[in-house]
Amino acid sequence: MDANLTAPADAATSEVAAEAARRRTFAIIAHPDAGKTTLTEKLLLKGGAIQLAGAVRAKGNARRTRSDWMKIEQDRGISVATSVMTFERGGLVFNLLDTPGHEDFSEDTYRTLTAVDAAVMVLDAAKGIESQTRKLFEVCRLRDIPIITFVNKMDRESRDPFELIDEIEKTLALDAAPVAWPVGRASEFAGTWDLLEKHFLPVDADDSSAVALSGLDDPKLDALVGAERAAALREEAELAEGACPPFDLEAFRQGTLTPVFFGSALRDFGVGHLLDGLARYAPPPGAREGDPRAVAPEEPKLTGFVFKVQANMDPNHRDRVAFVRLCSGKLVKGMRLRQVRTGKQVPVNAPLFFFAKDRQVAEEAWPGDVVGVANHGTLRIGDTLTEGEELHFRGVPSFAPEILRHVRLEDPMLAKKLKTALDQLAEEGVVQLFRPLDGSLPVVGVVGQLQLDVLQSRLKVEYGVPAGFQDTIWSMMRWVAGEDKAALERFAQQNRRDAGEDHDGALVAFFGSDWRRKRAEEEWPMLRFHAVREQHGLVAARK
C-alpha cells in the first residue's frame, strides 16, 4: 500500500491518542453532607473554571454553587442531578461529573459512573464510611473503577486516621495507601505531610507553598508545626509507612487499592494536592466494551454513548440536551452521526462543553470528553452514536423502581402539557414512566420519595403543571421478555389490567406482591421477568 495513503490515517490516530492521553474523566461520590459539592466547587476554582466558589450552607448569593443549579437543589442544599464541568490545568483536561448524593437518585448516579474512568470518594473525617458511600463504591467495583479517597473536614473533630484507613480496608475490602498524612487534628490541624514526595503542605497556604524538607528528622519541621505535633507526625508517619501498603499505580488502576488524601474542602486545603494526584494517577480513557467489539480510544472514527438526558437546563428555551461520553475519534462541530438504535442521522451542529449550567460551543472534542448534543426527543439514555458502524456500547442499565404511583392532575385542562412533561422527564431519567394497557392513569416509578418531590417541583416550576400522586395497587414491576412473540401478545391481552408499556414501548408487568410475580413466572415459563434492563439496542415498540 502507498505510504502516502496511510499517513493521514496514522496522523489522525496519533492526534486522537495524544488528546485522549490528556483527558481525566472522573466522578465524585459521597454520602450526603460529606462535603462533595463543596469539594466540587473548590476543584473548579483550582482549575480556573470559576472565580468564586459557593458554599452549600452559605446564605443568599454566596450560596449559589455552580454545580447545584436546579431550584430544588438551591432550596434544599442538596445535589439531585448530575452536573458536568470541564476545565484545564497543567496541560490536562479534566471532565468532572458531580453525581447526586442522595440515595433516591442512585440510578442517575449509576449511569453517570458508566461514563467515567476514575472516581473520588469523599469521606467525612468524623463519620467515615456511611451507607450511601458503600452503595456507590459497590457500583464502582462492578466496573473496576479506580478510586481516590479524600478524607474531608480534618479541621473539625475527627476519628483517628489509622481507624479510618482500617475501616476502608475492612468495609470495602480495598487496600488503602495513604499518600498524605495529617499533622494535628481539628483546631490543631496544621497541614499534611506528603509521604511520597517528602514535603510538608501547610494548612491555609497555597498548594504551591509546599515546604521541601530533607525528611521527617529535618529540624525545620519543628519550627513549622511545633515540637509536639512534629514528634507525633514522626511516630505516625513511620507507623503508616510500615503498616499500610505502599502506593502501587497498577493496583490502583485495577481498582484494588485506593490512595488516601486528607484535607478540608471548606478551607480549600488539600484540594490542589488531590487534583495533582488525579493528574498523576488517574487513567486516561481506555478501551470500552461494545457489541460486537471493544473500542480503543485512539481509533480515528468517532464513537460515543448517551448516559444522561437533561431537560430545561435553560427554561427560557425549553431545551433538551443529551450528554454524550466520547469513546474514540474526534468530534467536530457540524458532524452528522448515526444513532445506531434507529439508524437515523443526528446532526451535531453545536456540541456543548459544560461548566455546570453555563455552556459554550465546542469546536472539537476528543475521547474522554463529555459533550452536550441538542436533543428533540430523538436521543435516549443508552444510545450509541457512531460515524456509521453498527455498534452498541453495553453497561447502561435501567432498574425496576421500588415505588409506583399514579399521577393525579389537579386541572384536567392540562392533560396534554402533563403528557409532554412526563415524556421529557422520563427521557431524562428523572422517573420511569409506564402507561397501563387498559388506558388508566399513567404510572411513574422511582427509587425513593425524594424523586417524587423533585418530579412534583419540576412539573410545577418548569412546566406549569401542578400535580399530585396516588397509590397504585401494585408494589413492583418487571420487564417482560421472550423469543415467543405470540406468548408475549397473549400475556399482554390476558393481563391488560396489570401490564403496560415503558417509555420505549417495552412490555412491563405490575405485581401486587412477590408471590404474584413468582406465580406469573410459573404460569409463563416461556417468558422472562427482568428487574434490570440493558439500555442498548432498545426496540422502538413491541412487535
Side-chain angles (χ1 to χ4, degrees), residues 222-289:
D222 296 73
L224 287 165
V225 303
E228 189 176 332
R229 279 184 292 199
L233 171 64
R234 290 183 181 109
E235 182 180 340
E236 291 175 1
E238 186 177 343
L239 181 58
E241 290 180 328
C244 300
F247 176 70
D248 180 88
L249 182 62
E250 189 62 30
F252 162 64
R253 290 191 173 180
Q254 289 175 355
T256 62
L257 176 144
T258 179
V260 182
F261 293 78
F262 293 85
S264 167
L266 192 61
R267 289 177 67 175
D268 196 11
F269 176 71
V271 178
H273 196 203
L274 172 66
L275 197 49
D276 289 340
L278 275 163
R280 195 174 293 130
Y281 310 135
R288 189 163 288 266
E289 287 299 318

